[in-house]
Amino acid sequence: MEPDRRLEAILRVRDELTTVSRRGTARARQMTEVLTVIERALVNFIATHPGSRAIDIARFLGLNKSTVSRQLTSLHERGFVDVQIDPDDQRNRTLILTDAGMRERARVDDGVFDAVVARFSGWEDDEIRRFADALRRFNNAEV
């Protein structure tokens, strides 16, 4: 691909990903008044990485540790996240979702899934598979 066309295509990808992100954020706000966008990201991380620590989340999401700590405190106070203290090291606190946290995550995930399914109306199965493969490759790229 010519350098100019490659750059144009990359800019289009950037613009489309920005649109996806903005729409997803707006849709998520409409679906739930319970969790903020950041809180949903924390809940999703904890669900897929049970026993993680606040510092793990901050590093993965590229957030300030104090921001993560405030959000986790709120999630804990509202009953979505439980903090477990390591008996061998009282300073080590790991995180797990409570039943309420798992239910809220499932509720939001179901709504997001329904929205994604609707977007694929009219797509062929092979198109969906190629799109999923391309997104995985993009997300797994080292930068």
Side-chain angles (χ1 to χ4, degrees), residues 17 132-143:
L17 288 173
D133 291 345
L135 283 174
R136 174 173 283 138
R137 181 177 176 197
F138 179 81
N139 281 326
N140 289 333
E142 294 292 326
V143 271

Side-chain angles (χ1 to χ4, degrees), residues 45-112:
F45 186 89
I46 295 166
T48 56
H49 303 88
S52 56
R53 301 166 302 149
I55 191 68
D56 301 325
I57 297 170
R59 284 182 185 143
F60 183 81
L61 296 176
L63 297 171
N64 185 292
K65 188 173 183 263
S66 64
T67 300
V68 171
S69 292
R70 281 192 304 276
Q71 298 296 323
L72 287 171
T73 297
S74 174
L75 289 167
H76 177 68
E77 289 172 352
R78 291 166 28 221
F80 295 117
V81 171
D82 200 8
V83 179
Q84 297 180 329
I85 299 172
D86 185 342
D88 297 327
D89 182 355
Q90 299 290 314
R91 297 170 297 166
N92 192 15
R93 300 176 192 290
T94 58
L95 305 161
I96 59 167
L97 288 185
T98 63
D99 290 342
M102 288 186 269
R103 281 192 304 274
E104 182 59 19
R105 179 177 187 255
R107 187 182 72 78
V108 172
D109 283 355
D110 288 348
V112 170

